[in-house]
Amino acid sequence: MPVDMPVQDVVEQARRGLASVEHVPGSAKPDALLVADGVRRSFGGVNAVDVEHLEVQRHVITALIGPNGAGKTTFFNLMTGFDKPDAGRWVFDGRTLGGVSASRVAKAGMVRTFQLTKALARMTVLENMRLGAREQPGENLFAALVKPLWAPREREITDKAMQLLERFKLDTKKDDFAGSLSGGQRKLLEMARALMSDPQLVMLDEPMAGVNPALTQSLLGHITDLRDSGTTVLFVEHDMHMVRHISDWVVVMAQGQVVAEGPPADVMADQAVIDAYLGAHHDTDLGDDALLDEGGAIDAEAEAEADAEIEEKP
Ligand SMILES: Nc1ncnc2c1ncn2[C@@H]1O[C@H](COP(=O)(O)OP(=O)(O)O)[C@@H](O)[C@H]1O
Ligand SMILES: [Mg+2]
């Protein structure tokens, strides 16, 4: 593809390219950014991940769906170097990344979002952002001793963090403890932090979980903006409305395996998907909003938090 092609044409071409892709597990993509082969991970005899072959198309939004325990999070952890597989290999942008550390995977351009842990909650919003930067000054002991070498890089990281915080409307919160943010703002911070390393592929694990429906629209907008600015997105989401609304392609996992793939409308009418999601309830119509209640449940605490956030707004 020509380097000087405008990004919207590149994205359009990538999305159109999916039209020729077979709707079968492991189907070949015209321009695969990530290709996984024979990736297996078991925990105490349970096959958490057993992916024979999976290709993720570059420049589109791919949703990864499946019931709880299907292995979606474990798959993300394996691909991004946070967990080690028992077997398998994967190639990202032409580079074999199996066995490579998480920081090297991030440098290669593939990152996953992380929930705000207790430790991160005690840091400020800006400090959280700085942690997401590709190269931390001070990583290299020699450079750390020579302040003039790293001071400009420090400023660069802070500038970039502030730009992203503005984009996600968190700039006024930069000095607040991350733990003081509302549910929706935390999700925005998780996304913003992942972007500090300029990833080619960003993996979002349940980016909408626990967020009040009133705030999901802006999260959705940020996800489509990512794609439209040239970032490839792979995201896990239970809310089928969201999946149908923003994904270009859907991959379904169940019991560690990829059981279906295709465009959203097609996949949601697939018997294997219905079986994977609903077990015995075969009569439920997936073409409808049947799945919404299952994953869309928002716990009372998160809901109250989101409500408070809305009330704060003038
Ligand atoms: N660190 C772990 N130790 C033991 N079992 C785990 C661990 N992580 C995941 N599992 C198991 O692996 C399976 C897949 O889990 P997970 O990847 O979290 O699924 P999903 O994200 O699709 O809900 C589940 O059976 C889960 O209990
Ligand atoms: Mg999970």
Side-chain angles (χ1 to χ4, degrees), residues 2 14 23 79 91-92 98 113 122 142 200 223 248:
H23 302 177
M79 292 301 108
V91 175
F92 172 75
T113 51
R122 283 193 290 264
F142 171 72
Q200 276 196 77
I223 295 173
D248 300 304

Side-chain angles (χ1 to χ4, degrees), residues 39-43 45-51 69-75 78 83 86 253-257:
V39 178
R40 272 182 277 284
R41 174 71 161 114
S42 64
F43 295 106
V46 176
N47 287 327
V49 167
D50 188 1
V51 170
K72 306 178 299 292
T73 297
T74 304
F75 182 72
L78 291 170
D83 189 14
D86 301 319
M253 276 181 85
Q255 296 174 351
Q257 303 183 346

Side-chain angles (χ1 to χ4, degrees):
M1 152 179 341
V3 247
D4 54 358
M5 207 192 234
V7 67
Q8 60 266 41
D9 294 352
V10 169
V11 171
E12 209 31 62
Q13 181 170 309
R15 296 173 79 186
R16 270 204 310 271
L18 289 170
S20 61
V21 175
E22 272 191 288
H23 302 177
V24 295
S27 58
K29 307 295 182 303
D31 185 15
L33 176 56
L34 176 66
V35 179
D37 270 299
V39 178
R40 272 182 277 284
R41 174 71 161 114
S42 64
F43 295 106
V46 176
N47 287 327
V49 167
D50 188 1
V51 170
E52 219 168 278
H53 187 80
L54 178 65
E55 300 190 7
V56 177
Q57 171 83 337
R58 193 191 305 262
H59 290 310
V60 305
I61 298 176
T62 300
L64 181 60
I65 66 170
N68 281 331
K72 306 178 299 292
T73 297
T74 304
F75 182 72
F76 275 16
N77 287 341
L78 291 170
M79 292 301 108
T80 51
F82 284 93
D83 189 14
K84 296 260 177 290
D86 301 319
R89 67 191 294 271
W90 55 100
V91 175
F92 172 75
D93 199 24
R95 292 177 59 184
T96 301
L97 285 186
V100 170
S101 71
S103 66
R104 279 170 171 271
V105 172
K107 275 180 198 168
M110 178 162 57
V111 297
R112 57 152 300 177
T113 51
F114 274 98
Q115 287 190 350
L116 204 61
T117 59
K118 277 189 181 152
L120 293 172
R122 283 193 290 264
M123 286 188 240
T124 69
V125 166
L126 186 58
E127 283 163 354
N128 266 271
M129 292 296 288
R130 296 177 52 83
L131 277 182
R134 186 186 294 225
E135 296 156 57
Q136 291 287 338
E139 263 180 8
N140 173 324
L141 184 60
F142 171 72
L145 293 172
V146 191
K147 184 167 176 174
L149 284 182
W150 56 258
R153 176 69 185 140
E154 286 262 329
R155 262 196 305 279
E156 215 176 277
I157 289 173
T158 304
D159 288 350
K160 176 166 203 171
M162 286 311 298
Q163 277 170 21
L164 279 166
L165 288 176
E166 271 168 44
R167 171 166 156 199
F168 286 86
K169 298 198 168 60
L170 290 171
D171 48 319
T172 57
K173 308 264 176 194
K174 72 180 172 69
D175 296 321
D176 292 6
F177 286 114
S180 74
L181 298 179
S182 71
Q185 289 168 336
R186 284 170 188 226
K187 290 294 177 190
L188 291 172
L189 175 59
E190 287 164 18
M191 215 182 282
R193 187 175 55 203
L195 299 182
M196 282 296 289
S197 63
D198 289 321
Q200 276 196 77
L201 170 60
V202 59
M203 298 188 180
L204 309 170
D205 200 351
E206 304 193 27
M208 257 76 83
V211 174
N212 186 292
L215 298 173
T216 54
Q217 207 55 42
S218 98
L219 277 162
L220 284 178
H222 283 296
I223 295 173
T224 49
D225 283 353
L226 281 177
R227 175 197 57 201
D228 296 341
S229 60
T231 308
T232 304
V233 178
L234 180 62
F235 82 118
V236 170
E237 182 53 52
H238 286 292
D239 187 325
M240 290 304 120
H241 252 339
M242 309 296 166
V243 169
R244 181 187 290 270
H245 192 57
I246 66 167
S247 50
D248 300 304
W249 193 257
V250 180
V251 172
V252 188
M253 276 181 85
Q255 296 174 351
Q257 303 183 346
V258 175
V259 296
E261 270 191 59
D266 196 83
V267 156
M268 284 167 205
D270 186 314
Q271 191 61 43
V273 179
I274 295 169
D275 290 344
Y277 260 106
L278 298 171
H281 309 290
H282 287 191
D283 52 348
T284 315
D285 178 14
L286 279 177
D288 232 11
D289 297 343
L291 297 180
L292 289 179
D293 292 339
E294 187 185 313
I298 294 167
D299 67 67
E301 196 187 335
E303 197 161 44
E305 212 172 11
D307 286 346
E309 181 182 28
I310 290 165
E311 277 160 25
E312 270 171 32
K313 291 194 177 132

